[in-house]
Amino acid sequence: MAIIINLDVMMAKRKMSLNQLSAAVGISLSNLSILKTGKAKAIRFSTLESICEALDCQPGDLLAYQFSSDDE
Amino acid sequence: MKTQTILNIMFFLAWFVFIALLIKTGAVVTTYTISLFNSDAAKHLYFDMDLSMYLSHSLMHYSILALTKVLLFSAQAYVAFLVTELLKDFNLKNPFSQTVVHLMERICFSILFIAFLTVLHNGHIKALEQVVGVGANGSDDAYLLWAAMVYVMAQVFKRGIEIQNENDFTI
């Protein structure tokens, strides 16, 4: 997928574990794991908002577009 | 709640139809075997199913007709069994599953088989009508339409699985 999730990078920067983030955001560990491993198909604005609030970052810090040859 | 009740009723109805068709198939097999020794049995192969005119004409044609009827009833019973399996596995909270699609495709191909047998059976009866002079009731030939409908539904369910999968992976 061309959109990559940099959740693990931001968590490392904020020195936050998955358990701590799960407790702060109110999303189950399994769903956060799906998001972290890039298996998620979509993300709700409300979820993005909660994660940004918990990690004190911008959506652009969590999401990035990776150019791939398939997109041509 | 209401839909679940309807599905439960349909589940029992499908079981009822399945058992009835098994009994029908067994009855035809039994009376056919008896008719080989006592030709009067061919007059009432199953309730008003009278194939005695074919038996008096040719044992081979009579046997083919009886065998086709047995195959048709068995295939119908199999479809009824698949419907019971489908209704058993159907979950209203998570309706689009691979099992349901797989069962629907099997139902579709079984109905196609019934349609094929029906065409053969009706053709055979028509051909015999010119020789024997008496025609019997053929089977209903709306099975092709049924098969097409079930196939379309299976495709819709396939798309449903994709959408449900996407929904499940939306965080």
Side-chain angles (χ1 to χ4, degrees), chain B residues 1-168:
Chain B
M1 185 65 190
K2 198 180 169 188
T3 316
Q4 190 58 54
T5 314
I6 293 168
L7 285 175
N8 287 341
I9 293 168
M10 280 181 72
F11 177 69
F12 283 107
L13 275 177
W15 263 111
F16 180 75
V17 170
F18 170 60
I19 293 166
L21 282 166
L22 279 186
I23 292 169
K24 193 175 180 180
T25 310
V28 172
V29 170
T30 310
T31 42
Y32 167 74
T33 314
I34 295 169
S35 72
L36 292 177
F37 307 103
N38 179 10
S39 56
D40 279 347
K43 284 179 185 167
H44 305 285
L45 210 58
Y46 183 77
F47 287 104
D48 58 344
M49 194 191 292
D50 182 7
L51 298 182
S52 59
M53 59 271 196
Y54 299 111
L55 179 60
S56 54
H57 169 67
S58 151
L59 177 67
M60 189 189 74
H61 284 296
Y62 169 70
S63 299
I64 291 171
L65 279 177
L67 182 76
T68 320
K69 292 259 183 215
V70 168
L71 271 175
L72 270 173
F73 297 147
S74 319
Q76 286 170 357
Y78 181 62
V79 169
F81 173 72
L82 288 177
V83 171
T84 62
E85 288 289 297
L86 181 79
L87 290 169
K88 193 177 78 184
D89 289 333
F90 195 75
N91 178 10
L92 270 181
K93 282 180 186 162
N94 201 8
F96 304 107
S97 71
Q98 204 60 51
T99 320
V100 170
V101 171
H102 185 63
L103 278 168
M104 282 178 112
E105 279 176 347
R106 272 166 71 184
I107 289 173
C108 169
F109 292 126
S110 305
I111 295 175
L112 261 182
F113 174 71
I114 294 172
F116 177 70
L117 261 184
T118 307
V119 169
L120 279 182
H121 184 59
N122 288 350
H124 190 200
I125 285 177
K126 270 221 167 124
L128 280 177
E129 204 177 315
Q130 293 167 347
V131 183
V132 182
V134 188
N137 288 334
S139 300
D140 190 18
D141 50 5
Y143 288 107
L144 271 176
L145 186 71
W146 281 28
M149 277 173 65
V150 175
Y151 185 74
V152 168
M153 278 172 71
Q155 295 312 305
V156 169
F157 266 69
K158 252 187 185 169
R159 181 72 190 118
I161 289 175
E162 284 171 25
I163 293 169
Q164 190 172 275
N165 208 21
E166 221 169 85
N167 194 40
D168 287 347

Side-chain angles (χ1 to χ4, degrees), chain A residues 26-61:
Chain A
I27 298 172
S28 67
L29 270 175
S30 57
N31 275 347
L32 271 182
S33 182
I34 289 170
L35 198 60
K36 207 179 119 187
T37 50
K39 286 179 188 162
K41 299 265 184 194
I43 182 164
R44 290 189 191 91
F45 280 152
S46 56
T47 310
L48 193 60
E49 191 185 323
S50 319
I51 295 174
C52 286
E53 199 181 322
L55 292 174
D56 189 25
C57 65
Q58 290 297 313
D61 298 327

